[in-house]
Amino acid sequence: MKNQRLFLILSFLVVVFHVHADGLDDFIRSQMKKRGIPGLSLAIIQDGKILKARAYGFTDKDGKVPVTTNTLFQAGSVSKSVAAMGALYLVGQNKLLLDENVNARLKSWKVPDNEFTNDKKVTLRGILSHTTGLTVHGFPGYAVGTEMPSVVQILDGIAPANTPPVRVDFIPGSRWRYSGGGYTVMQQLMVDVTGAGFPEFMKDNVLSPLGMENSTYQQPLPPQLAKLTANGHYANRRVVEGRWHVYPEMAAAGLWTTPSDLARFAIGIQNAYAGKPGSVLSQSITRQMLTDQKNRDGLGVFLQGDSTTLRFGHSGRDEGFDALLTASVDKGQGVVIMINANDNSLMMGRIVDFIADYFHWDGFPVRAKPAAVAVDAETLTAFEGRYELFNNRMVTFEAENQRLFTLEDGFVDEEFVPVATNTFTSTDRNVSVTFTADADGNVTGFTLEDKDQGYERTVPRIGPLANAHKTTADPDPSRTPRIMAALQAMVKGGKTLEEASGLTLGAKRDFAGGMPEPETLKSLTFIHSENVAGRGIQRHGSDVSEIVTYRLKSNRPDTYILVHLTSDGLVTDWDLVEK
């Protein structure tokens, strides 16, 4: 009888788990469908163990090869967190010091001294916490089959490197600024100190001890591992040529891995923090790793929550891949999500919140859906359009079913519910937008209120959705050829751009390297223009007075292009949009 009761209890628990697991699976699949995500893999940590590892979708958008839990994804900047453990392991071995000038142990290359390093030097602590003043935010990688630069060439910005030299341009320790260049300095530092190749050192001292057997920093991948990878997809879901890029900047962006292996990494930190034996790092070093250095940045990981709900983690992006890791410090919880697409939405955050809500994890937001008021269709449509969320960062609203939805990469993202005639609240975040209009009733922007962050600010309107307008007569057709010539020069870059007319100095400076797409511009058909003078929109150092929307024919599928003009008609920027 006792055994029968136990069997019934266990059966009930299995049924309950499957019901909720199916609910999670349904939620993830619906999110992937909404965002056009080809493949997704995840791992959930509960009680310090991997509770669930699951894969969804396919390795490419053609849907031929299913993603498995052993499919390899690029970790992007999550590579930094794992590499940081390798550097901190060397600290524990007294082969590196956190607060020593890194030049004391660098052999193959030195950080060039300048006026910013007279009194303060670049240290490993500063590199790990992004406070050194070192330049180069991130790396685009290199197409498969092209010539690879050495790490020293990357650090000095010498061909075939495709990024500027890594240099100090503010006093180390004076402020925070993200620097993949700093982690590339760290990579060379670790190689110089150990005398080992970076992938080999990381495998022997971090990956293998943590049981991360499906992970490697090898760049490029050997053929037997290349067969196990997903294909990368850009934000428009176009496949990355060659399937993915190669990253000799291994510490910053070069880890190939799986969510289960990254979950093992997170569990390794949790175990070390608790002082459990067999950990890669000591408890004291791990506690330093999880201490805020500046701007909620620890040593290789970012921190969230308060003292009772503290979490560590990192997000990552390589060409065609996104990743997210978040884990509690002392509660044995965590989630790792990896996708084979660049997705600018809140999707991965929604999945994390869904999981946290189901398992009743502390420190994650629990939000009731706001009560909606009725808004007539004409008013709702007037709020549709594009707005300048930050400098050179647009947010797009589209109306549907008495709601506003943001569009990211041409796909639906965040839902906003009307709580007043002109005020809408997000169902994902504690954020509201209140639209404003001029004396004639034309919408000119909105006030953004973020209650979690405790701020509000004005966001100016750029213009309506392009597909909301039919082709009309251009009020100034003579400018179209000038604009076309300026755009073609921006695509080519180099001497062509330098000698071109009709462009601002900032555009010439920032587009000097040209644009990868569209490769060709065939024709422009006028759609709409909007006077935005005085709204505070600025692109590449110049105030924008007018934004002209054209239908664009090019080498890619027909789309729309927004051209940003100054008061004297100079082109200072442009954006490609789907609608």
Side-chain angles (χ1 to χ4, degrees):
M1 182 64 101
K2 188 175 186 181
N3 289 338
Q4 186 178 15
R5 268 201 309 270
L6 178 61
F7 173 78
L8 289 173
I9 291 170
L10 290 174
S11 299
F12 172 75
L13 290 175
V14 168
V15 170
V16 169
F17 177 77
H18 280 299
V19 168
H20 286 287
D22 290 343
L24 174 60
D25 292 342
D26 291 343
F27 179 78
I28 290 172
R29 290 192 179 101
S30 69
Q31 290 292 311
M32 290 175 66
K33 182 178 180 181
K34 185 165 76 169
R35 298 296 308 156
I37 304 297
L40 182 150
S41 185
L42 65 72
I44 299 172
I45 303 166
Q46 180 78 324
D47 299 324
K49 298 176 182 178
I50 297 175
L51 172 69
K52 175 185 177 75
R54 190 65 63 90
Y56 308 85
F58 299 90
T59 60
D60 61 58
K61 65 180 181 180
D62 294 333
K64 295 179 180 178
V65 181
V67 172
T68 73
T69 55
N70 291 324
T71 299
L72 295 180
F73 291 76
Q74 287 187 328
S77 288
V78 182
S79 306
K80 294 179 176 69
S81 297
V82 182
M85 181 176 281
L88 292 172
Y89 168 81
L90 291 174
V91 172
Q93 299 294 309
N94 292 317
K95 293 181 179 179
L96 288 176
L97 300 176
L98 276 171
D99 298 305
E100 178 184 59
N101 181 358
V102 294
N103 278 348
R105 303 194 190 224
L106 278 165
K107 300 172 184 175
S108 306
W109 179 88
K110 303 281 187 182
V111 177
D113 280 318
N114 56 28
E115 67 271 26
F116 300 108
T117 61
N118 287 338
D119 299 320
K120 299 285 187 179
K121 302 298 183 181
V122 172
T123 65
L124 179 58
R125 185 187 300 275
I127 287 173
L128 291 170
S129 60
H130 298 288
T131 57
T132 60
L134 287 167
T135 57
V136 184
H137 177 92
F139 300 99
Y142 298 83
V144 171
T146 59
E147 185 181 0
M148 293 296 112
S150 67
V151 173
V152 170
Q153 286 174 319
I154 293 167
L155 293 172
D156 282 331
I158 297 172
N162 59 11
T163 47
V166 178
R167 298 292 186 263
V168 177
D169 68 354
F170 65 76
I171 297 172
S174 63
R175 59 189 175 94
W176 183 94
R177 184 185 63 200
Y178 193 83
S179 173
Y183 273 74
T184 309
V185 173
M186 185 186 81
Q187 176 180 329
Q188 190 61 56
L189 174 66
M190 294 168 67
V191 169
D192 285 350
V193 165
T194 63
F198 187 78
E200 291 73 26
F201 169 80
M202 290 299 300
K203 177 178 175 60
D204 291 343
N205 297 285
V206 176
L207 303 181
S208 291
L210 291 176
M212 299 174 66
E213 297 301 331
N214 290 322
S215 302
T216 182
Y217 276 97
Q218 292 179 84
Q219 294 282 342
L221 274 176
Q224 66 271 25
L225 292 180
K227 297 176 183 177
L228 305 176
T229 66
N231 295 347
H233 299 78
Y234 290 112
N236 61 8
R237 305 302 177 251
R238 179 172 59 86
V239 179
V240 175
E241 187 174 353
R243 300 176 61 203
W244 21 259
H245 277 191
V246 179
Y247 291 85
E249 309 91 352
M250 302 171 195
L255 179 64
W256 282 97
T257 187
T258 66
S260 292
D261 271 9
L262 285 179
R264 294 181 181 99
F265 165 74
I267 292 168
I269 292 178
Q270 292 170 337
N271 289 341
Y273 184 85
K276 294 183 179 180
S279 300
V280 171
L281 300 180
S282 69
Q283 185 179 46
S284 61
I285 288 178
T286 304
R287 295 197 173 218
Q288 284 201 66
M289 185 184 195
L290 301 178
T291 297
D292 185 9
Q293 306 294 312
K294 195 184 288 285
N295 203 41
R296 300 291 281 165
D297 195 351
L299 300 178
V301 292
F302 292 104
L303 305 172
Q304 291 179 290
D306 57 27
S307 59
T308 61
T309 61
L310 189 62
R311 303 195 307 276
F312 64 90
H314 213 295
S315 60
R317 168 167 291 185
D318 279 347
E319 298 290 292
F321 295 88
D322 283 355
L324 182 148
L325 179 157
T326 184
S328 65
V329 167
D330 59 4
K331 298 181 185 298
Q333 303 161 347
V335 184
V336 182
I337 304 170
M338 305 186 82
I339 61 175
N340 59 340
N342 294 140
D343 186 64
N344 296 307
S345 77
L346 301 176
M347 183 194 75
M348 286 200 285
R350 280 192 288 268
I351 293 172
V352 170
D353 288 347
F354 188 97
I355 292 168
D357 182 52
Y358 164 63
F359 287 107
H360 308 294
W361 291 348
D362 292 336
F364 289 84
V366 178
R367 297 185 184 90
K369 202 160 188 174
V373 302
V375 178
D376 65 80
E378 185 177 350
T379 300
L380 200 65
T381 301
F383 299 143
E384 285 189 321
R386 290 186 173 80
Y387 300 80
E388 189 81 341
L389 185 61
F390 301 106
N391 183 276
N392 207 13
R393 173 72 171 92
M394 298 185 298
V395 61
T396 304
F397 283 108
E398 184 176 48
E400 184 179 345
N401 296 329
Q402 280 285 303
R403 301 289 187 269
L404 288 177
F405 293 89
T406 62
L407 298 178
E408 285 288 353
D409 314 319
F411 298 94
V412 168
D413 183 22
E414 190 172 9
E415 178 184 354
F416 281 79
V417 175
V419 295
T421 303
N422 64 335
T423 299
F424 293 73
T425 296
S426 169
T427 59
D428 288 331
R429 301 176 292 154
N430 203 6
V431 168
S432 295
V433 297
T434 301
F435 291 93
T436 53
D438 61 20
D440 297 323
N442 299 312
V443 176
T444 57
F446 61 78
T447 299
L448 172 68
E449 182 182 9
D450 189 326
K451 293 179 181 177
D452 288 338
Q453 301 297 324
Y455 75 84
E456 67 176 46
R457 59 187 180 81
T458 300
V459 177
R461 180 178 171 89
I462 289 174
L465 297 180
N467 63 352
H469 291 262
K470 296 181 180 179
T471 302
T472 57
D474 188 347
D476 185 6
S478 65
R479 67 184 170 184
T480 300
R482 297 195 302 270
I483 289 174
M484 173 62 92
L487 296 178
Q488 289 171 331
M490 292 168 82
V491 168
K492 291 181 179 178
K495 194 171 181 63
T496 300
L497 180 61
E498 185 180 331
E499 296 176 350
S501 59
L503 290 137
T504 63
L505 292 176
K508 288 189 174 185
R509 177 193 66 232
D510 296 339
F511 289 90
M515 294 291 291
E517 63 171 346
E519 294 175 6
T520 59
L521 300 168
K522 297 177 182 177
S523 68
L524 298 174
T525 303
F526 178 84
I527 298 292
H528 173 80
S529 76
E530 177 130 342
N531 182 352
V532 297
R535 294 185 188 175
I537 300 171
Q538 190 179 83
R539 294 289 182 94
H540 302 287
S542 294
D543 293 331
V544 179
S545 291
E546 184 179 7
I547 298 175
V548 185
T549 302
Y550 292 100
R551 186 185 300 278
L552 170 68
K553 282 192 176 294
S554 67
N555 64 300
R556 56 179 280 168
D558 288 359
T559 185
Y560 299 95
I561 186 167
L562 311 181
V563 183
H564 300 252
L565 303 176
T566 61
S567 58
D568 48 3
L570 298 179
V571 175
T572 194
D573 200 9
W574 52 282
D575 297 296
L576 293 176
V577 297
E578 300 296 326
K579 59 173 65 176

